Amino acid sequence: IIKENSSSMKEFILLSLSDNQGVQKIYFVVFLVFYMLTVTGNLIVFTVTSSQHLNSPMYFFLCHLSFIDICYSSVTAPQMISSFLVENNTISFAGCIGQLFGVHFFGCTEIFILTAMAYDRYVAICRPLHYPALMSRRLCGCMVGVSWVGGFLHSTLQTLPIALLPFCGPNEVAHYFCDVHPLLHLACADTRAEGLAAVANSGLISLSCFLILVTSYVVILVSLRGQTLEGWHKALSTCGAHVTVVFLFFGPTTFVYIRPSSDLSKDRTVAVFYTLITPMLNPLIYTLRNGEVKGALRKLCRRKV
Protein backbone atom coordinates (compact mmCIF):
# COMPACT_ATOMS: atom_id res chain seq x y z
CA ILE A 1 0.00 0.00 0.00
CA ILE A 2 2.68 2.46 1.05
CA LYS A 3 4.92 1.58 -1.93
CA GLU A 4 2.07 2.07 -4.40
CA ASN A 5 1.08 5.51 -3.10
CA SER A 6 4.66 6.67 -2.67
CA SER A 7 5.18 6.47 -6.43
CA SER A 8 2.88 9.50 -6.84
CA MET A 9 3.84 11.30 -3.62
CA LYS A 10 7.31 10.44 -2.37
CA GLU A 11 7.53 13.01 0.43
CA PHE A 12 5.64 15.68 2.32
CA ILE A 13 6.73 19.08 3.63
CA LEU A 14 5.78 19.77 7.25
CA LEU A 15 5.13 23.34 8.36
CA SER A 16 6.83 25.02 11.29
CA LEU A 17 4.99 26.72 14.13
CA SER A 18 6.25 30.11 12.89
CA ASP A 19 7.63 31.66 9.70
CA ASN A 20 9.63 34.31 11.58
CA GLN A 21 13.35 33.40 11.67
CA GLY A 22 13.92 35.06 15.04
CA VAL A 23 10.91 33.33 16.62
CA GLN A 24 12.04 30.00 15.15
CA LYS A 25 15.39 30.27 16.96
CA ILE A 26 13.59 30.94 20.24
CA TYR A 27 11.21 28.05 19.61
CA PHE A 28 14.15 25.76 18.85
CA VAL A 29 15.72 26.41 22.26
CA VAL A 30 12.43 26.31 24.17
CA PHE A 31 11.08 23.10 22.64
CA LEU A 32 14.45 21.38 22.75
CA VAL A 33 14.54 22.05 26.51
CA PHE A 34 10.92 20.87 26.81
CA TYR A 35 11.71 17.64 24.98
CA MET A 36 14.83 16.96 27.06
CA LEU A 37 12.82 17.56 30.26
CA THR A 38 10.07 15.25 28.96
CA VAL A 39 12.42 12.36 28.24
CA THR A 40 14.53 12.84 31.39
CA GLY A 41 11.57 13.31 33.75
CA ASN A 42 9.57 10.38 32.43
CA LEU A 43 12.65 8.18 32.33
CA ILE A 44 13.26 8.90 36.02
CA VAL A 45 9.62 8.18 36.90
CA PHE A 46 9.68 5.00 34.80
CA THR A 47 12.84 3.81 36.56
CA VAL A 48 11.55 4.64 40.04
CA THR A 49 8.03 3.24 39.61
CA SER A 50 9.33 0.01 38.09
CA SER A 51 11.50 -0.62 41.17
CA GLN A 52 10.50 -2.97 43.99
CA HIS A 53 9.96 -0.07 46.41
CA LEU A 54 6.67 0.91 44.75
CA ASN A 55 4.43 -2.05 43.95
CA SER A 56 0.88 -0.68 44.24
CA PRO A 57 -1.41 -0.62 41.16
CA MET A 58 -1.18 3.17 40.89
CA TYR A 59 2.58 3.02 40.32
CA PHE A 60 2.16 0.11 37.92
CA PHE A 61 -0.08 2.31 35.75
CA LEU A 62 2.22 5.30 36.23
CA CYS A 63 5.18 3.25 35.00
CA HIS A 64 3.37 2.49 31.75
CA LEU A 65 2.19 6.09 31.45
CA SER A 66 5.77 7.39 31.68
CA PHE A 67 6.96 4.94 29.02
CA ILE A 68 4.08 5.98 26.73
CA ASP A 69 4.87 9.68 27.24
CA ILE A 70 8.51 9.14 26.20
CA CYS A 71 7.41 7.36 23.01
CA TYR A 72 4.52 9.73 22.32
CA SER A 73 6.60 12.91 22.48
CA SER A 74 9.44 11.26 20.54
CA VAL A 75 7.13 10.59 17.59
CA THR A 76 6.51 14.30 16.98
CA ALA A 77 8.95 16.51 18.93
CA PRO A 78 12.23 15.73 17.06
CA GLN A 79 10.56 16.45 13.71
CA MET A 80 9.08 19.69 15.07
CA ILE A 81 12.40 20.82 16.57
CA SER A 82 14.26 20.13 13.32
CA SER A 83 11.74 22.30 11.43
CA PHE A 84 13.16 25.38 13.17
CA LEU A 85 16.60 24.77 11.60
CA VAL A 86 15.77 23.86 7.99
CA GLU A 87 13.95 25.69 5.24
CA ASN A 88 11.93 22.70 4.05
CA ASN A 89 11.19 20.12 6.74
CA THR A 90 10.47 17.06 4.61
CA ILE A 91 9.31 13.59 5.58
CA SER A 92 8.92 10.55 3.34
CA PHE A 93 5.50 9.10 2.59
CA ALA A 94 6.31 5.95 4.58
CA GLY A 95 7.69 8.07 7.44
CA CYS A 96 4.55 10.21 7.41
CA ILE A 97 2.25 7.18 7.63
CA GLY A 98 4.46 5.72 10.36
CA GLN A 99 4.29 8.98 12.31
CA LEU A 100 0.50 9.06 11.94
CA PHE A 101 0.30 5.51 13.28
CA GLY A 102 2.62 6.30 16.22
CA VAL A 103 0.76 9.45 17.25
CA HIS A 104 -2.59 7.67 17.43
CA PHE A 105 -1.19 4.45 18.87
CA PHE A 106 0.53 6.06 21.85
CA GLY A 107 -2.08 8.80 22.22
CA CYS A 108 -5.01 6.38 22.39
CA THR A 109 -3.11 4.01 24.68
CA GLU A 110 -2.48 6.93 27.04
CA ILE A 111 -6.20 7.74 27.05
CA PHE A 112 -7.04 4.17 28.08
CA ILE A 113 -4.28 4.10 30.73
CA LEU A 114 -5.61 7.34 32.26
CA THR A 115 -9.09 5.81 32.33
CA ALA A 116 -7.73 2.72 34.10
CA MET A 117 -5.98 4.99 36.62
CA ALA A 118 -9.29 6.74 37.30
CA TYR A 119 -10.88 3.39 38.15
CA ASP A 120 -7.95 2.65 40.44
CA ARG A 121 -8.49 5.93 42.30
CA TYR A 122 -12.24 5.26 42.54
CA VAL A 123 -11.68 1.86 44.18
CA ALA A 124 -8.95 3.23 46.48
CA ILE A 125 -11.19 6.02 47.82
CA CYS A 126 -14.70 4.58 47.67
CA ARG A 127 -13.94 0.93 48.54
CA PRO A 128 -10.65 1.00 50.45
CA LEU A 129 -11.28 -2.24 52.38
CA HIS A 130 -11.80 -4.19 49.15
CA TYR A 131 -8.97 -2.45 47.27
CA PRO A 132 -6.40 -5.31 47.41
CA ALA A 133 -8.97 -7.84 46.17
CA LEU A 134 -10.53 -5.64 43.47
CA MET A 135 -7.25 -4.25 42.09
CA SER A 136 -5.39 -7.53 41.84
CA ARG A 137 -2.16 -7.83 39.87
CA ARG A 138 -3.95 -9.91 37.24
CA LEU A 139 -6.68 -7.31 36.73
CA CYS A 140 -4.13 -4.50 36.45
CA GLY A 141 -2.20 -6.49 33.85
CA CYS A 142 -5.38 -7.11 31.88
CA MET A 143 -6.33 -3.42 31.96
CA VAL A 144 -2.90 -2.39 30.70
CA GLY A 145 -2.96 -5.11 28.03
CA VAL A 146 -6.40 -4.00 26.83
CA SER A 147 -5.12 -0.40 26.70
CA TRP A 148 -2.22 -1.34 24.41
CA VAL A 149 -4.39 -3.54 22.17
CA GLY A 150 -7.09 -0.87 22.02
CA GLY A 151 -4.52 1.75 21.03
CA PHE A 152 -3.20 -0.53 18.29
CA LEU A 153 -6.66 -1.22 16.86
CA HIS A 154 -7.61 2.46 16.96
CA SER A 155 -4.39 3.51 15.24
CA THR A 156 -4.77 0.85 12.56
CA LEU A 157 -8.31 2.02 11.79
CA GLN A 158 -7.08 5.61 11.55
CA THR A 159 -3.96 4.94 9.48
CA LEU A 160 -5.11 2.36 6.93
CA PRO A 161 -7.76 4.56 5.19
CA ILE A 162 -5.22 7.42 4.91
CA ALA A 163 -2.56 5.12 3.44
CA LEU A 164 -5.04 3.97 0.78
CA LEU A 165 -5.86 7.50 -0.41
CA PRO A 166 -4.24 8.87 -3.59
CA PHE A 167 -1.89 11.86 -3.06
CA CYS A 168 -1.04 13.57 -6.34
CA GLY A 169 -1.31 17.31 -5.70
CA PRO A 170 0.25 19.70 -3.16
CA ASN A 171 2.52 18.03 -0.62
CA GLU A 172 2.66 20.73 2.08
CA VAL A 173 1.09 19.39 5.28
CA ALA A 174 -0.46 22.22 7.30
CA HIS A 175 0.89 20.81 10.55
CA TYR A 176 4.20 20.07 12.26
CA PHE A 177 3.46 16.33 12.16
CA CYS A 178 1.39 14.02 9.96
CA ASP A 179 -2.15 13.81 11.29
CA VAL A 180 -5.51 12.78 9.87
CA HIS A 181 -7.12 16.14 9.06
CA PRO A 182 -4.08 17.77 7.38
CA LEU A 183 -3.52 14.70 5.21
CA LEU A 184 -7.18 14.51 4.22
CA HIS A 185 -6.89 18.07 2.89
CA LEU A 186 -4.13 16.91 0.51
CA ALA A 187 -5.77 13.77 -0.87
CA CYS A 188 -6.85 13.74 -4.53
CA ALA A 189 -10.23 12.21 -3.71
CA ASP A 190 -13.48 12.83 -1.88
CA THR A 191 -12.51 12.38 1.79
CA ARG A 192 -15.77 13.26 3.53
CA ALA A 193 -16.37 9.65 4.58
CA GLU A 194 -12.81 9.33 5.93
CA GLY A 195 -13.19 12.64 7.78
CA LEU A 196 -16.42 11.55 9.46
CA ALA A 197 -14.85 8.20 10.34
CA ALA A 198 -11.87 9.99 11.92
CA VAL A 199 -14.18 12.16 14.03
CA ALA A 200 -16.24 9.13 15.03
CA ASN A 201 -13.08 7.19 15.94
CA SER A 202 -10.74 9.65 17.67
CA GLY A 203 -13.37 12.17 18.75
CA LEU A 204 -15.75 9.71 20.36
CA ILE A 205 -12.94 7.85 22.12
CA SER A 206 -11.61 11.11 23.60
CA LEU A 207 -15.04 12.44 24.55
CA SER A 208 -16.42 9.18 25.97
CA CYS A 209 -13.31 8.48 28.07
CA PHE A 210 -13.35 12.08 29.28
CA LEU A 211 -17.00 11.76 30.35
CA ILE A 212 -16.20 8.47 32.11
CA LEU A 213 -13.37 10.17 33.99
CA VAL A 214 -15.53 13.15 34.99
CA THR A 215 -18.30 10.80 36.14
CA SER A 216 -15.85 8.81 38.26
CA TYR A 217 -14.70 11.97 40.06
CA VAL A 218 -18.29 13.09 40.63
CA VAL A 219 -19.00 9.69 42.22
CA ILE A 220 -15.87 10.06 44.36
CA LEU A 221 -16.95 13.52 45.56
CA VAL A 222 -20.48 12.30 46.36
CA SER A 223 -19.06 9.36 48.31
CA LEU A 224 -17.07 11.78 50.49
CA ARG A 225 -20.19 13.31 52.06
CA GLY A 226 -19.98 13.02 55.80
CA GLN A 227 -16.21 12.51 55.76
CA THR A 228 -13.94 14.48 58.04
CA LEU A 229 -11.84 17.37 56.75
CA GLU A 230 -8.80 15.10 56.91
CA GLY A 231 -10.56 12.50 54.75
CA TRP A 232 -11.48 15.16 52.18
CA HIS A 233 -7.92 16.43 52.08
CA LYS A 234 -6.46 12.96 51.62
CA ALA A 235 -8.91 12.03 48.86
CA LEU A 236 -8.50 15.30 46.96
CA SER A 237 -4.71 15.20 47.19
CA THR A 238 -4.81 11.64 45.84
CA CYS A 239 -7.02 12.61 42.86
CA GLY A 240 -5.72 16.14 42.30
CA ALA A 241 -2.76 15.10 40.17
CA HIS A 242 -4.86 12.81 38.01
CA VAL A 243 -7.56 15.45 37.46
CA THR A 244 -4.91 17.96 36.34
CA VAL A 245 -3.46 15.53 33.79
CA VAL A 246 -6.94 14.62 32.51
CA PHE A 247 -7.93 18.22 31.76
CA LEU A 248 -4.55 19.13 30.25
CA PHE A 249 -4.63 16.10 27.94
CA PHE A 250 -8.32 15.58 27.12
CA GLY A 251 -9.20 19.25 26.62
CA PRO A 252 -6.93 19.81 23.58
CA THR A 253 -7.46 16.32 22.08
CA THR A 254 -11.24 16.63 22.28
CA PHE A 255 -11.05 20.10 20.68
CA VAL A 256 -8.97 18.82 17.76
CA TYR A 257 -10.66 15.48 17.02
CA ILE A 258 -14.33 15.94 17.95
CA ARG A 259 -15.06 18.09 14.90
CA PRO A 260 -14.15 18.18 11.21
CA SER A 261 -11.18 20.56 11.19
CA SER A 262 -11.36 23.69 9.05
CA ASP A 263 -8.77 25.91 10.75
CA LEU A 264 -5.61 23.78 10.82
CA SER A 265 -3.48 26.62 12.25
CA LYS A 266 -5.46 26.41 15.50
CA ASP A 267 -5.07 22.64 15.56
CA ARG A 268 -1.31 23.06 15.12
CA THR A 269 -1.08 25.32 18.16
CA VAL A 270 -3.39 23.25 20.36
CA ALA A 271 -1.57 20.02 19.45
CA VAL A 272 1.57 21.28 21.22
CA PHE A 273 -0.23 20.81 24.55
CA TYR A 274 -1.08 17.12 24.19
CA THR A 275 2.03 16.06 22.24
CA LEU A 276 4.71 17.80 24.35
CA ILE A 277 3.47 19.98 27.23
CA THR A 278 1.38 17.32 29.00
CA PRO A 279 4.02 14.56 28.68
CA MET A 280 6.56 17.02 30.10
CA LEU A 281 4.34 17.97 33.07
CA ASN A 282 3.25 14.43 33.98
CA PRO A 283 6.41 13.61 36.00
CA LEU A 284 6.12 16.90 37.93
CA ILE A 285 2.39 16.55 38.54
CA TYR A 286 2.63 12.97 39.79
CA THR A 287 5.84 13.24 41.83
CA LEU A 288 6.02 16.82 43.12
CA ARG A 289 3.78 16.09 46.13
CA ASN A 290 4.16 12.31 46.23
CA GLY A 291 6.24 11.34 49.25
CA GLU A 292 6.46 7.66 48.27
CA VAL A 293 7.93 8.42 44.84
CA LYS A 294 10.40 10.94 46.26
CA GLY A 295 11.41 8.46 48.96
CA ALA A 296 11.92 5.68 46.42
CA LEU A 297 13.96 8.07 44.26
CA ARG A 298 16.22 8.93 47.19
CA LYS A 299 16.73 5.23 47.99
CA LEU A 300 17.54 4.52 44.35
CA CYS A 301 20.03 7.38 44.19
CA ARG A 302 21.76 6.28 47.40
CA ARG A 303 22.02 2.72 46.10
CA LYS A 304 23.51 3.92 42.79
CA VAL A 305 26.02 6.13 44.62
Side-chain angles (χ1 to χ4, degrees), residues 64-213:
H64 283 267
L65 182 65
S66 297
F67 176 74
I68 291 170
D69 280 336
I70 294 173
C71 299
Y72 188 39
S73 59
S74 297
V75 172
T76 58
Q79 191 82 38
M80 176 183 66
I81 294 169
S82 67
S83 69
F84 303 129
L85 301 178
V86 296
E87 185 175 350
N88 288 327
N89 184 29
T90 61
I91 184 172
S92 66
F93 183 88
C96 185
I97 296 300
Q99 188 179 57
L100 172 65
F101 181 88
V103 166
H104 285 271
F105 175 48
F106 293 114
C108 187
T109 304
E110 177 156 349
I111 286 176
F112 292 146
I113 290 290
L114 290 172
T115 306
M117 292 174 70
Y119 176 74
D120 173 70
R121 293 300 85 203
Y122 161 76
V123 176
I125 294 172
C126 297
R127 307 187 66 181
L129 297 179
H130 300 89
Y131 182 76
L134 291 175
M135 295 302 296
S136 63
R137 188 176 296 273
R138 181 180 179 182
L139 176 62
C140 293
C142 289
M143 293 172 75
V144 168
V146 169
S147 298
W148 283 102
V149 172
F152 178 81
L153 293 176
H154 159 78
S155 187
T156 301
L157 293 175
Q158 286 287 68
T159 306
L160 191 57
I162 303 298
L164 290 170
L165 289 173
F167 293 94
C168 53
N171 66 338
E172 188 175 81
V173 180
H175 214 306
Y176 64 86
F177 66 91
C178 292
D179 204 1
V180 174
H181 294 308
L183 290 176
L184 289 177
H185 280 69
L186 298 180
C188 305
D190 185 359
T191 60
R192 284 176 293 183
E194 288 81 0
L196 291 175
V199 171
N201 193 343
S202 295
L204 288 181
I205 287 177
S206 300
L207 183 61
S208 59
C209 288
F210 178 72
L211 292 177
I212 291 172
L213 290 166

